[in-house]
Amino acid sequence: MSSIQPPTLSFEVFPPQSPADRAALLTTLDQLRGCHPAFVSVTYTNHQLDYEQATLGLAQTVQARVGCPVMVHLLAAYTSKTQVSRILADLESLGVTQILGLRGDLDPGQTPGADFPHASDLIRFIKARNPQFRLAGAGYPAGHPESPTREADLAHLQEKVAAGCDRVMTQVFYDNQQFDRFRADCAARDITVPILAGILPILSRQQALRVETDFGARLPQPLRTRLDRVWDDPVAFRAVGLDYAVEQINDLVAHGVAGIHLFTLNQASTVAAIYARTAALFEK
Ligand code: FAD
């Protein structure tokens, strides 16, 4: 019997913005229950709703509906120490113990608060105040877009991990060799915590056109060629995107990835299609 642990499988969902979105989300959560996730992470991107309503509300729904641990995303840039302290108390009362500590994107029209200029400041604050929380930080295989060099970004990641992260979760990427290089560069800097690979299948032309600007994720030429061949056929396009994600996951697992974090876009059909073809990779 092998003593090697299989990789973890986890998923990201986001707060819905309309009743129709909510119905799709609930179907997705029902689908996730059958995937036995290590955890489900809940983003905070809807600036119209407050954190309690949007992210903590959904965290409770995930706990009830999926029955797995929840990780909440917490954004530092526009949040004060007082607000974070209140949120930590809320999380404790809900039994949520995992946080992805992020700075968040900077809004040119809004002045960031002074308490947490970087994600590492937030992570250090939480670790000192409530050491029982498990903290994760974001990593960028291609380098963070604001960073002058990849090296500088890796040094900041090292600082973030030293501040108290027990995992790194990556930005989406489509070039597994880029991920392998990132993992090797982390190891060379003594970043030894598990690195979970962020996977977002490309399912539409619109998405293909946006991943580079939205996530700084370059599409490698072989993938571009495959997508170009089916550019005018949405059904075939989706099938190619799903195939590629499955191939990426298989290859990452073959190369010993610590975990796969699948960005679901709250689409049950995407979760079902990927899980049906990869479940065996994650069996204990
Ligand atoms: P940081 O770690 O603070 O890094 C930001 C930049 O500052 C980098 O260029 C870094 O190199 C630099 N830096 C860090 N420390 C220092 C320092 N001490 N001195 C100088 N420079 C420094 N965004 C959302 O709005 N909501 C979400 O739910 C969300 N979820 C995400 C999930 C994942 C897995 C990932 C990878 C990203 C997510 N994001 C989300 C996007 C993220 O908020 C942005 O990429 C943001 O621009 C940076 O956040 P960070 O936590 O990586 O910041």
Side-chain angles (χ1 to χ4, degrees), residues 5-277:
Q5 282 290 313
T8 59
L9 177 62
S10 54
F11 299 90
E12 179 186 288
V13 295
F14 58 84
Q17 302 195 25
S18 69
D21 285 353
R22 183 165 174 80
L25 165 72
L26 295 180
T27 311
T28 306
L29 296 183
D30 291 342
Q31 185 72 47
L32 290 183
R33 193 173 51 238
C35 303
H36 316 292
F39 65 91
V40 169
S41 85
V42 179
T43 69
Y44 179 48
T45 49
N46 183 350
H47 296 288
Q48 276 99 61
L49 292 173
D50 67 19
Y51 191 78
E52 280 79 359
Q53 234 186 311
T55 298
L56 301 192
L58 178 51
Q60 282 176 282
T61 308
V62 172
Q63 284 177 323
R65 207 122 176 164
V66 187
C68 71
V70 178
M71 171 189 283
V72 290
H73 298 202
L74 184 51
L75 303 184
Y78 301 100
T79 312
S80 67
K81 287 183 179 172
T82 310
Q83 286 168 314
V84 170
S85 300
R86 199 186 61 226
I87 289 168
L88 294 180
D90 288 344
L91 291 173
E92 275 186 275
S93 67
L94 294 176
V96 173
T97 57
Q98 302 190 41
I99 300 173
L100 173 58
L102 298 154
R103 183 198 67 183
D105 284 328
L106 298 179
D107 178 346
Q110 227 184 329
T111 311
D115 284 352
F116 306 114
H118 304 289
S120 51
D121 301 307
L122 173 70
I123 288 161
R124 202 173 294 112
F125 176 80
I126 298 175
K127 210 63 203 171
R129 200 180 174 287
N130 295 59
Q132 74 277 16
F133 279 104
R134 289 192 64 189
L135 291 156
Y140 300 85
H144 185 265
E146 286 167 36
S147 210
T149 62
R150 231 178 128 257
E151 265 306 298
D153 200 35
L154 282 164
H156 294 137
L157 179 61
Q158 193 175 16
E159 190 186 339
K160 192 152 57 173
V161 172
C165 294
D166 71 7
R167 274 162 294 173
V168 169
M169 302 182 41
T170 76
Q171 187 55 283
V172 302
F173 61 91
Y174 297 92
D175 178 351
N176 282 6
Q177 287 181 359
Q178 189 179 58
F179 176 83
D180 290 340
R181 273 197 303 278
F182 174 70
R183 209 164 54 149
D185 290 343
C186 286
R189 287 185 164 273
D190 279 337
I191 298 173
T192 54
V193 296
I195 300 176
L196 311 190
I199 299 292
L200 172 64
I202 294 194
L203 303 175
S204 68
R205 292 195 307 199
Q206 190 199 27
Q207 212 187 330
L209 294 170
R210 287 187 51 178
V211 285
E212 193 141 358
T213 38
D214 286 0
F215 305 114
R218 195 179 53 80
L219 300 189
Q221 193 53 47
L223 173 58
R224 279 180 188 277
T225 305
R226 284 165 71 176
L227 292 173
D228 280 346
R229 280 196 208 115
V230 290
W231 194 252
D232 294 318
D233 179 345
V235 175
F237 192 97
R238 180 180 161 83
V240 168
L242 287 171
D243 283 349
Y244 191 82
V246 169
E247 290 163 27
Q248 256 196 300
I249 293 170
N250 270 293
D251 178 67
L252 288 163
V253 172
H255 285 85
V257 75
I260 299 290
H261 192 60
L262 185 67
F263 294 65
T264 70
L265 297 181
N266 293 2
Q267 291 178 3
S269 57
T270 303
V271 172
I274 302 246
Y275 188 69
R277 294 165 65 188

